[in-house]
């Protein structure tokens, strides 16, 4: 009987391994923390049991269209609703009078936003800038197709000119600081990349209220593999051009992923709005607790080493939790202070630690960015290996 | 009791409407057949009950990575396996010694392939061409970012030069004919867009064996909303550059959609490899039967009208079914033969039928492309309205 059951199940189900993706680490492994792969959230979601599980029959989401009456016709209405609900709960972004645009992760939305803000009739591509240290993906995102509409122009702080698009990443990837636009000109535009503006990483100081704000499912609650991001956009014409970009490049965004994102954001909001006393089901609290622990360990090792240093952050009141909270970035922006070592990434690589070197962020090679979001086993091995460096 | 059950379900489930997307048609509706939205497959998948249903717990597919050891590190191994299995079953493409690259629909893969084939050091962008009538999305796909690497150069038949990328769409969107590359030069490259090379649309004359072949989940078995396509790529260096493109532009492809695609392709292959006698569970047979019926109705109306004409196709033996089969395209390439009417799309619009005009395909405005893949109610209304035109 049991065999029949198993046979029947196997017939229609695809079995996905528990820890699909990167192989688990062993004592001798290279510790790869180059990417911000948010696998630390796996243990949280495992603890949630069947909450957030999706079941989708084969006849659903066949059409390209989610809502033909919406400007963003490929946006699942239930997902839009859960996005507004979550921002209202957390208080990290204004959603009133904003169009919601869904993208295949925030990278695609960054391109869509830059495309939408680029003048179509300019003789030269518009300059896209961001203050150093800037997110390492901005440059390839802007330059890989050698667009005649826009081009990467590097550090916003040294940029001269009135016509530009400034990418403002806050909290900033790689260094974690809350940041603001550095350029101010009537001809300039800004795009706010708020991937990390969530209460596990930073005190929420108030609802962000910018023209274009971009968020991602990946960093907010850990679901990178679903490739879902969203933008809150004030201007309808800009929103329409963003939709056009997404329409041309991928004819919309996976509806299956959107349904999953809606389901999971709903679980998150439910856990705060209808709390079960004593239940460990709050993802932001989980993230904050784990990151606080990791940052404590890392700061101890770094201090004891005498070789490295880390940024120091002020504490502020988080309006979401009501508590004083420090900044706990998803990345450690580690500086090698040891004399004679100019290239921190190479130095760490010789100790079998892979991190992304400062140059990718427009900064000195004395810096590296180390992901703080990996699985426990990887983080623990990183700490162990770092502590052995003399 | 029932209420409690419903309440419990509602707590964790997002309810998606049955016919999400475009509103159902009524007698007075505008009949919109501009897009190739493959909603005719909904009734097939409804008939499959729970076969193809996916259930994904919240802790799965969190990582960006699907298989870090694979060149295409964001490709779910189970999906790759089902792609090879289905091509082997149908016999429509060689998969041996091919890299599989997954994309957010075939549009993204077309861009990735063109990016991969474009020389990075040429003084001018390489010309991308396709024989008229070409798929209307090729031009915006190639031109929307005004890339310095490649640019749309229109009709392959009139192209002069040795350096080019030719897009070969076979069966051709919009007119349904099987086609081959028209240009031949050592400096030229080809990309084969085989979205419709499946047995419901055309006799399978043998396994396609080209350098880059692109397929889509959307047209093969009707799942457009999941945004999944795949490429079979011979050259590893080209495959690597395609992966680079997908990495930069969207950091991979929805894993949830890939799991769904794997599950559904498995159902399709199972239905042919382990057939249950009398069972109406074969998607290609379903598609062929329905399209044969629709094409018959359409040809009758067109013949009776004296106003329109349609392409005529030869019949051939389909190596998949072993039967003589005619071409039954997913689009009707309708020509208005009525004197004084130059713009068929405008003419049809005045009769509340929306179709895409010939100019979008590099052809005369006497032509329009009409989707044959919509829901029954839409197709029936189209036939009714077309038959009323005198």
């Amino acid at each position: 009987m049991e065999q029949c059951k198993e046979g029947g199940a196997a017939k229609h189900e695809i079995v996905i391994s528990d820890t699909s993706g990167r192989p688990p680490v062993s004592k001798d492994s290279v510790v790869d923390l180059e990417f911000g792969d948010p696998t630390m959230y796996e243990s949280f979601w495992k603890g949630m049991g069947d909450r957030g599980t999706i079941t989708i029959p084969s006849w659903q989401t066949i059409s390209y269209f989610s809502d033909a009456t919406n400007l963003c016709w490929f946006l699942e209405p239930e997902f839009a609703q859960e996005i507004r609900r979550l921002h209202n709960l957390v208080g990290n972004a204004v959603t009133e009078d904003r169009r919601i645009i869904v993208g295949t992760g925030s990278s695609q939305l960054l391109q869509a936003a830059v495309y939408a803000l680029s003048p179509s009739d300019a003789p030269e591509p518009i300059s896209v800038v961001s203050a150093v240290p800037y997110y390492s993906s901005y440059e390839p995102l802007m330059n890989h197709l050698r667009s005649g509409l826009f081009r990467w122009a590097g550090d916003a702080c040294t940029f001269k000119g009135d016509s530009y698009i400034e990418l403002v990443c806050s909290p900033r990837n790689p260094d974690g600081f809350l940041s603001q636009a550095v350029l101010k000109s009537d001809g300039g535009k800004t795009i706010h990349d708020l991937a990390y503006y969530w209460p596990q990483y930073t005190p929420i100081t108030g609802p962000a209220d910018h023209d274009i704000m971009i968020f991602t499912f990946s960093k907010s609650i850990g679901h990178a593999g679903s490739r879902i991001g969203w933008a809150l956009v004030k201007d309808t014409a800009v929103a329409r051009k963003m939709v056009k970009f997404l329409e041309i490049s991928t004819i919309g965004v996976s509806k299956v992923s959107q349904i999953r994102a809606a389901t999971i954001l709903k679980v998150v909001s439910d856990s705060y709005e209808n709390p079960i006393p004593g239940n460990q089901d709050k993802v932001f609290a989980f993230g904050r607790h784990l990151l606080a622990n990791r940052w404590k360990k890392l700061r101890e090792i770094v201090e004891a080493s005498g070789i490295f240093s880390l940024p120091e952050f002020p504490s502020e009141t988080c309006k979401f939790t009501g508590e004083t909270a420090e900044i706990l970035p998803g990345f450690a922006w580690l500086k090698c202070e040891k004399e004679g070592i100019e290239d921190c990434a190479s130095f760490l690589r010789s100790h079998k630690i892979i991190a992304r070197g400062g140059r990718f962020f427009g900064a000195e090679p004395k810096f590296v960015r180390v992901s703080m979001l990996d699985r426990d086993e990887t983080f623990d091995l990183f700490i162990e290996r770092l502590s052995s460096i003399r």
Side-chain angles (χ1 to χ4, degrees), chain A residues 209-222:
Chain A
D209 184 11
H210 307 289
D211 289 351
I212 304 179
M213 300 184 279
I214 297 177
F215 291 91
T216 160
F217 192 40
S218 167
K219 299 305 162 10
S220 53
I221 45 114

Side-chain angles (χ1 to χ4, degrees), chain A residues 68-373:
Chain A
T69 66
N70 187 357
L71 184 148
C72 188
W73 53 266
F74 47 80
L75 171 64
E76 289 289 305
E78 297 77 8
F79 181 43
Q81 192 181 313
E82 293 300 332
I83 287 169
R84 289 188 198 277
R85 183 180 168 208
L86 187 65
H87 283 304
N88 292 345
L89 171 78
V90 173
N92 61 342
V94 170
T95 60
E96 287 81 30
D97 299 321
R98 294 303 202 284
R99 299 282 187 171
I100 296 179
I101 314 288
V102 62
T104 309
S106 59
S107 305
Q108 194 185 26
L109 288 165
L110 280 162
Q111 291 164 88
V114 167
Y115 168 82
L117 294 180
S118 297
S120 57
D121 52 357
E124 287 287 306
I126 193 165
S127 295
V128 183
V129 296
S130 189
V132 165
Y134 45 71
Y135 175 31
S136 52
S137 289
Y138 290 160
E139 178 171 353
L141 258 180
M142 296 307 134
N143 279 352
H144 77 305
L145 291 178
R146 292 200 209 147
S147 174
L149 297 174
F150 50 82
R151 77 170 151 222
W152 178 246
D155 190 4
C157 299
T158 58
F159 178 77
K160 303 274 174 256
D162 289 327
S163 180
Y164 59 83
I165 298 168
E166 182 178 353
L167 308 180
V168 183
C169 184
S170 178
R172 194 154 63 180
N173 175 355
D175 69 1
F177 284 98
L178 289 169
S179 62
Q180 294 182 317
V182 298
L183 296 175
K184 271 179 186 62
S185 150
D186 289 344
K189 317 260 187 189
T190 53
I191 297 168
H192 282 76
D193 174 353
L194 304 181
Y196 296 91
Y197 192 48
W198 294 98
Q200 65 271 51
Y201 306 114
T202 178
I204 300 299
T205 53
D209 184 11
H210 307 289
D211 289 351
I212 304 179
M213 300 184 279
I214 297 177
F215 291 91
T216 160
F217 192 40
S218 167
K219 299 305 162 10
S220 53
I221 45 114
H223 273 277
S226 295
R227 310 308 310 119
I228 288 290
W230 64 93
L232 306 175
V233 182
K234 206 182 251 175
D235 186 89
T236 303
V238 170
R240 188 169 286 123
K241 275 193 81 177
M242 288 179 71
V243 167
K244 189 79 203 159
F245 176 90
L246 296 157
E247 216 176 286
I248 294 173
S249 48
T250 53
I251 321 186
V253 175
S254 164
K255 291 166 81 168
V256 192
S257 278
Q258 290 186 65
I259 290 171
R260 188 192 210 198
T263 306
I264 285 180
L265 294 193
K266 187 176 188 305
V267 169
V268 172
S269 291
D270 282 349
S271 72
Y272 283 93
E273 289 184 348
N274 313 307
I276 302 163
N279 221 338
Q280 303 292 312
D281 62 355
K282 293 178 183 59
V283 70
F284 303 126
F286 164 87
R288 176 144 281 268
H289 180 78
L290 187 55
L291 283 170
N293 205 286
R294 289 183 174 187
W295 272 97
K296 188 167 172 284
K297 280 189 194 165
L298 180 62
R299 287 197 185 277
E300 281 168 10
I301 295 295
V302 161
E303 208 160 304
S305 77
I307 301 176
F308 301 104
S309 69
L310 285 168
E312 297 291 335
F313 302 106
S315 287
E316 275 194 77
T317 301
C318 175
K319 290 189 178 166
F320 174 62
T321 60
E323 290 165 8
T324 302
E326 55 185 334
I327 290 175
L328 300 169
F331 295 105
W333 185 234
L334 195 67
K335 187 178 179 187
C336 186
E337 305 276 4
K338 195 179 161 93
E339 227 173 287
I341 294 176
E342 293 306 314
D343 185 336
C344 186
S346 298
F347 177 63
L348 288 179
R349 205 172 304 121
S350 71
H351 291 88
K352 296 210 280 187
I353 296 169
I354 300 182
R356 192 168 289 173
R359 284 214 170 114
F360 289 94
F361 307 88
E364 289 174 48
K366 276 182 177 295
F367 289 93
V368 290
R369 190 196 73 170
V370 182
S371 170
M372 297 291 282
L373 303 179

